Amino acid sequence: MQQYFSLADCEVMGFDLDHTLCRYHLPQSAALIYDSFAQYLVTEKGYDKDLLTLNPESLDFCCKGLALDLEDGNFLKLAEDGTVLRASHGTRSMTSEEILEIYGRREWKHFSTVSGMLSRSAKYYLYDNYFDLPGALLCARVVDSLDQHDGQKKYDFWKDMVAAIQHNYKISAFKEDCGTYFPEVKNHPEKYLQRCPSSVKKWLKQLKSAGKILLLITSSHSDYCRLLCEYILGNDFEEYFDVVITNALKPGFFSHTPNQRPFRTLENDEEQEALLSLDKPGWYSQGNAIHLYELLKKMTGKLDPKVVYFGDSMHSDIFPARHYSNWETVFILEELLGDKVMVPTETESEPLEKKGKYEGYQPKIPYSVSEQWGSFFVDRLPGLENAEETLVRTWSCKCISTYSTIAIPSLEAIAGL
């Protein structure tokens, strides 16, 4: 990661919405997401009704950075070199002996295609953010159920899982009140959403009055975006941003060319005709980073304005913004709060006034380390025979240091600085 980084050097600040500006009550939202996928599998696809009962404790299984091997129903936690650190078949943890027998001490067979971060393959799925994470537990329980009833070795449930995700999160679902997810958040926003802390709102206003250009770029559709923003920021939320882009379809927003993904205007949340270019600030749908950057050049009067983008998904936000657009990236990573391994001990060598204000910041921990999977950042490599265990970085940890400029647990952590 960079040794030196100053937000003041950036003319443009871009923000993702979900799990970045808009924080969720994670236990409640995880249970809702699990339920919304499970309802679909049971009612539409005929899966075992037992999947509908959720023991909240079992959500411990959910851990960002896991890979699901779709062919054999195994979940894997990978080291930075692609070896398997921990694994489970369905929900059952494998022993070190089983892991060595199945995977050995070599790179996982699909790792070479994973390392690009954007890979989406028919052979595996990477769990990267809180919107799909509860699906990991559901898939693991589906594997358990199939083993129990059919004793099968080949698993063919993924297409149904994708259908469940699409059914609940499709663009029209909010408007049509379809699926389980959107109707529930609409009816009980206070149960799932956290209001934006006053320190963050104040900071956004300070950035704007200091002449920074503020962007909101979210893959959520405009109607859901409005619900979230009005709840967390207030009815005047549009005043915080110069440009709002909804249904951005990240990571394609960064990787696609203008003719593949033009911007569209909105009328009553319906997308209108495609725009040949982006001429002025406002609220838009879809689009691409190239046309946006042309507008930012005009707005700043600079040939190469420096942009920083805040987001919580390595796959959709951090990797593509860095890789395709060469933007600075700030990774919002709640796991930084829960991981005792990573917290350095307090040293008294530094006078108090020199310490960053955030060092004393002890929020309510919304995130706890998974007992089953251990630290997001490091893990022990099981020793071969009688060899000592060694501590290694996870693949997730390597991605952070490779693609993000800095990582912080939340916007509050820097808003007061």
Side-chain angles (χ1 to χ4, degrees), residues 77-81 83-87 96 99-100 105 339-341 372-384 387-394:
K77 180 183 184 182
L78 301 171
E80 60 180 317
D81 63 358
T83 51
V84 176
L85 292 169
R86 299 192 192 198
S96 299
I99 292 171
L100 283 170
R105 261 303 169 73
D339 214 307
K340 295 294 172 277
V341 183
Q372 185 163 349
W373 295 103
S375 167
F376 179 80
F377 304 93
V378 292
D379 213 335
R380 299 183 193 288
L381 198 59
L384 287 170
E388 294 257 313
E389 289 185 331
T390 47
L391 205 60
V392 295
R393 288 200 309 173
T394 60

Side-chain angles (χ1 to χ4, degrees), residues 187-212:
N187 292 329
H188 306 284
E190 70 294 335
K191 184 175 173 185
Y192 301 102
L193 310 176
Q194 300 186 40
R195 293 196 193 272
C196 196
S198 53
S199 62
V200 174
K201 291 163 76 167
K202 185 177 158 193
W203 176 59
L204 293 174
K205 286 177 175 161
Q206 285 171 333
L207 290 173
K208 204 152 181 225
S209 57
K212 305 292 183 192

Side-chain angles (χ1 to χ4, degrees), residues 105-119:
R105 261 303 169 73
R106 58 189 178 275
E107 187 181 278
W108 178 49
K109 61 189 175 189
H110 299 306
F111 189 66
S112 57
T113 63
V114 165
S115 47
M117 249 345 284
L118 276 188
S119 49

Side-chain angles (χ1 to χ4, degrees), residues 31-44:
L32 171 61
I33 291 166
Y34 176 92
D35 187 46
S36 61
F37 297 162
Q39 289 282 358
Y40 182 87
L41 290 187
V42 173
T43 56
E44 301 295 321

Side-chain angles (χ1 to χ4, degrees), residues 265-276:
T265 52
L266 283 160
E267 236 167 77
N268 300 324
D269 296 317
E270 297 291 332
E271 292 180 349
Q272 305 301 305
E273 74 289 342
L275 302 173
L276 294 173

